[in-house]
Amino acid sequence: SVSGVSSVMILSPDTLIDVVRAQHPDTNGPYSWWSWRGKAFVNDAGWRIDYHLASPELASKAITAEIDRDPSYSERTSDHAAVVVDYDL
């Protein structure tokens, strides 16, 4: 560990904000991961396991927060999709 820096970080709304959740508070998604099995991608039965965390100050400048999802199952290159946030800096 770095001298003088705690190795434990307490996550709370005072320290880091989940920017995607702040932009989409009333949905279960948007998801950033889907299993290759079954029709998880087609049915949008995924998980939110990729995050964009920001300080409260930076999070307040977020304009949009989206998942860069591939257009179809056949065009997927990964089981994850990028989390993309645009900020007004």
Side-chain angles (χ1 to χ4, degrees), residues 65-79:
E66 305 294 334
I67 305 301
D68 188 16
R69 181 184 161 126
D70 289 321
S72 69
Y73 180 87
S74 64
E75 296 175 83
R76 287 175 71 186
T77 57
S78 174
D79 52 359

Side-chain angles (χ1 to χ4, degrees), residues 13-72:
D14 296 329
T15 57
L16 291 175
I17 304 294
D18 177 352
V19 179
V20 175
R21 176 57 58 231
Q23 291 279 320
H24 302 273
D26 299 324
T27 65
N28 289 330
Y31 303 117
S32 62
W33 180 89
W34 302 266
S35 173
W36 287 103
R37 295 176 182 223
K39 295 184 178 182
F41 186 81
V42 173
N43 294 326
D44 199 26
W47 290 4
R48 289 189 69 245
I49 61 174
D50 302 287
Y51 297 91
H52 188 105
L53 302 175
S55 69
E57 181 181 357
L58 180 59
S60 72
K61 296 177 182 181
I63 300 168
T64 61
E66 305 294 334
I67 305 301
D68 188 16
R69 181 184 161 126
D70 289 321
S72 69

